[in-house]
Amino acid sequence: MQRIQRIPIVLSLMLSLCGGLVGCSTLAPSYNRPAAPVPTSWQKDAGVPGEPAASGQQDAADIPWQDFYLNPRLRKVIAMGLVHNRDLRVAALNVERAQAQYRIQRSELVPKVDAEGAGNFQRQPADFSSSGEAEKIHQYTVGLGVTSYELDLFGRLRSLKDQALEEYLATGQAQRSARISLIAQIAAADLTLAADRELLQLAEETMKTQEESYRLIQKRFELGASSELELREAQTQVESARVDVARFSTQVAQDEDSLNLLVGAQVPADLLPASLTDEVATLEGITPGLSSEILLRRPDVLQAENVLKGYNANIGAARAAYFPRIVLVGSLGSGSKELSGLFSTGSGSWAFAPSIDLPIFDAGARAAQLQVAEIDRDIAIAQYEKAIQTAFREVADTLVQRGNVERQLAAQQALREATEKRYLLARERYAKGVDSHLAVLDAQRSLYSAQQGVVGVRLTRLTNLVSLYKALGGGVKTEN
């Protein structure tokens, strides 16, 4: 009985020995973040290096999306998408899965202790018995054991644990990146729907005006005051407007379907935009900040860096493969022929079976594995640098567009005003008999095109702000 009482003490000492032997560092190379292969700043409202933007502005990454999208209706639509979107749900589950995988790998650093109890009952025939008579054998055993525990003397398991940790962190950054993209996609889809609804309304109003004009020309034609050419031209305008109504009706329906898919649920009718006019001044202006270093905070860039760190840790595991691996197997317990004697004096048992695997010759397999690990690390460096370059270009492109869209909008609005005055003058001249109705139809066609152009440029301006906010890493933070 005294020996059995020593079992927990001996087992504790063995586990302490195991824990002390793994307190070594890994063989992974020291990690140094690669330098960003992009200029240090952007020129204000331009996509080329130069003078940085004005200071005193909050970085986009620090602006909660609720503070950026100021329209209450749009906020509700985005909030619905963050709850119901299936891609975002899959991204969250991937994070949970990566976390579980990390816990599995981390558990390899700790000895696994199992308790086992067993009974064995058998009958031996007389020929097998030392007494010459058949006998029944009962065996009872109970014990604690450590099975296949590797002493991590050279950090192999630690390196694999570090790699699993970086994979988990990379998955978390992928979820944040998916969240940013989803918010921007919902906002852009909402703006596109608003613009197409406004274009549909404009097409319907134009068709109504064209139909009234056609009826007037038809009466004049019947009275001989207008030519058939004027009549057919007016009819052409009506049918053209009818084509636009059908086209924009289709686009509006498709826009609603796209928005519902992004949100992951049916968006209520009262949360759909009526026209692009409702969206004006709902987006707060932002600046890119002082330095391109803000790109290092983007989730996709952080994800690429986590992947790089993981491959860097994997080099440590490949290097550790050159060194011996020591595995411990041990158990302490008790056994008896009778259940009542299982814990009696003299029933104790133990087993200890350490093993060592010393690499001698493998035809270059370990060297090749180390080379693969180093090449994977170099590939990850290139991918990390490419992620930064892509992020810089996205910001630069939106800044180039931003620098010109305001001028484009002002010019488009001036064009609309000019064509509107031309249309009014053409109507007056036609009413006085100075010009034919063909001049009125031509001016009306130009006005319709200019009005469509204004809607298109306004949509470009607003979606540019959405794209800039996303490119700068905005959209992750949430108001408390």
Side-chain angles (χ1 to χ4, degrees), residues 171-213:
T171 308
Q173 296 298 344
Q175 182 195 19
R176 296 178 63 207
S177 183
R179 180 185 174 90
I180 289 177
S181 296
L182 176 62
I183 292 174
Q185 288 173 353
I186 291 177
D190 187 89
L191 291 170
T192 301
L193 174 58
D196 285 341
R197 281 194 164 187
E198 186 166 332
L199 290 172
L200 174 59
Q201 181 182 0
L202 178 61
E204 291 173 341
E205 293 174 353
T206 301
M207 185 178 70
K208 182 178 179 181
T209 302
Q210 298 285 12
E211 287 176 341
E212 293 175 354
S213 178

Side-chain angles (χ1 to χ4, degrees), residues 76-77 80-81 84 86 253 256-272:
K76 293 179 181 178
V77 176
M80 286 182 60
H84 299 290
R86 298 310 190 271
E256 291 180 2
D257 292 339
S258 298
L259 184 59
N260 289 333
L261 178 60
L262 285 171
V263 172
Q266 188 74 26
V267 179
D270 60 335
L271 293 182
L272 295 175

Side-chain angles (χ1 to χ4, degrees), residues 45-204:
D45 291 341
V48 295
E51 293 298 325
S55 60
Q57 297 288 338
Q58 188 178 15
D59 289 343
D62 295 327
I63 302 176
W65 65 266
Q66 296 94 332
D67 292 345
F68 183 72
Y69 298 101
L70 302 180
N71 187 298
R73 179 197 58 77
L74 180 57
R75 286 179 180 176
K76 293 179 181 178
V77 176
I78 293 175
M80 286 182 60
L82 294 178
V83 173
H84 299 290
N85 181 268
R86 298 310 190 271
D87 290 335
L88 197 60
R89 189 174 299 177
V90 170
L93 292 173
N94 284 335
V95 173
E96 294 182 11
R97 182 180 184 277
Q99 185 183 40
Q101 290 285 357
Y102 166 64
R103 293 204 310 268
I104 292 173
Q105 186 60 55
R106 185 181 59 183
S107 69
E108 295 295 325
L109 293 171
V110 181
K112 297 176 179 61
V113 180
D114 297 324
E116 181 182 19
N120 181 26
F121 310 97
Q122 60 179 334
R123 179 183 182 277
Q124 287 190 346
D127 291 345
F128 294 166
S129 174
S130 59
S131 63
E133 297 180 359
E135 61 179 352
K136 295 180 180 179
I137 300 175
H138 295 178
Q139 294 178 343
Y140 301 90
T141 59
V142 65
L144 296 175
V146 175
T147 59
S148 299
Y149 172 63
E150 179 181 344
L151 295 180
D152 196 28
L153 298 178
F154 303 99
R156 188 184 75 87
L157 296 178
R158 254 182 228 270
S159 296
L160 294 177
K161 183 265 295 183
D162 291 343
Q163 182 185 26
L165 175 61
E166 295 301 334
E167 289 177 356
Y168 162 54
L169 296 176
T171 308
Q173 296 298 344
Q175 182 195 19
R176 296 178 63 207
S177 183
R179 180 185 174 90
I180 289 177
S181 296
L182 176 62
I183 292 174
Q185 288 173 353
I186 291 177
D190 187 89
L191 291 170
T192 301
L193 174 58
D196 285 341
R197 281 194 164 187
E198 186 166 332
L199 290 172
L200 174 59
Q201 181 182 0
L202 178 61
E204 291 173 341

